[in-house]
Amino acid sequence: MKKKPLLVVISSPSGTGKTTICKKILKKHPQYVRSVSFTTRERRKGEVNGRDYHFVNKDRFEKMKKRKQFAEWACVYGNYYGTPKRSIEKAKRQNKTLIMVIDVQGGSAIKRLYPESVLIFMLPPSLGELKRRLKIRATNKKDDLEKRLKSALKEISFWSNYDYVLVNSDLNQTVRDVENIISAEKRKAKRFDINIWGRGQDKWRG
Ligand code: ADP
Ligand code: 5GP
């Protein structure tokens, strides 16, 4: 019997801090993997192609869509984003914990496709603080920032579709909260493989 890998989705209004938190978690747990999405949005300063996203043009994205290479895709703030099916397939093959940092449409799609996935929703401490964080990141054009702020309330209304809700006030505390959720989810009885445990018991059977 093969164990199911843990699929973790993290969503939040843009600027809340989910990417920062995911990076910190991957640094502390190099055995976890992150799904690198494809996007048609422009690369921000400091982002690396293939590490943060696969940056592609609209043509290439459309081709991948037609070839059904995405597990899910969505248009977010005027750009296209998609989770490659192969990230999920690879994590399943290798029985790895996979983290997907995607929007609320993507979160709903992943839950439909993989009901055993674990969905974490992150909130900023306040809308004022969200604006401040978006401004600090500040590679956005002004209209983009407005677009992201305007969408925040609509995105927040999806919170009840998620399994967990965290308020990202203190960065290190939120990192610990996500680590604790993953740790508890991995220990759920439905993910325990009694056959693997049983193999180690042969020598005691006499
Ligand atoms: P998201 O991926 O949700 O769009 P980012 O991870 O890019 O957000 O974070 C947006 C900004 O907020 C970054 O400048 C990041 O350093 C900052 N940030 C993240 N978490 C916190 C926090 N708990 N307190 C203060 N600033 C934070
Ligand atoms: P950003 O441009 O700030 O990197 O991302 C904008 C939004 O798109 C964020 O909510 C981010 O999580 C989301 N996103 C990133 N990749 C994907 C993806 O593959 N699918 C979906 N549905 N959303 C994504």
Side-chain angles (χ1 to χ4, degrees), residues 12-21 44 101 129 132-133 136-137 168-171:
S12 76
S14 180
T16 301
K18 58 190 174 305
T19 309
T20 308
I21 284 158
R44 283 186 199 130
V101 180
E129 172 64 9
R132 195 190 70 82
R133 289 184 192 173
I136 287 175
R137 195 171 66 192
N168 178 26
S169 305
D170 179 81
L171 185 59

Side-chain angles (χ1 to χ4, degrees), residues 10-15 18-19 34-39 41-42 44 47 52-53 55 61 70 72-77 79-84 100-110 134 137 140 144 148 155:
I10 305 182
S11 305
S12 76
S14 180
K18 58 190 174 305
T19 309
R34 178 182 159 219
S35 166
V36 180
S37 295
F38 283 74
T39 184
R41 99 146 148 71
E42 271 177 36
R44 283 186 199 130
E47 283 181 330
D52 298 292
Y53 281 108
F55 294 96
F61 196 94
F70 295 125
E72 64 75 36
W73 65 270
C75 183
V76 193
Y77 318 127
N79 294 302
Y80 288 90
Y81 297 83
T83 304
M100 288 169 269
V101 180
I102 60 179
D103 89 318
V104 290
Q105 306 169 73
S108 306
I110 294 294
L134 276 170
R137 195 171 66 192
N140 299 320
D144 195 31
R148 284 167 190 255
E155 287 162 352

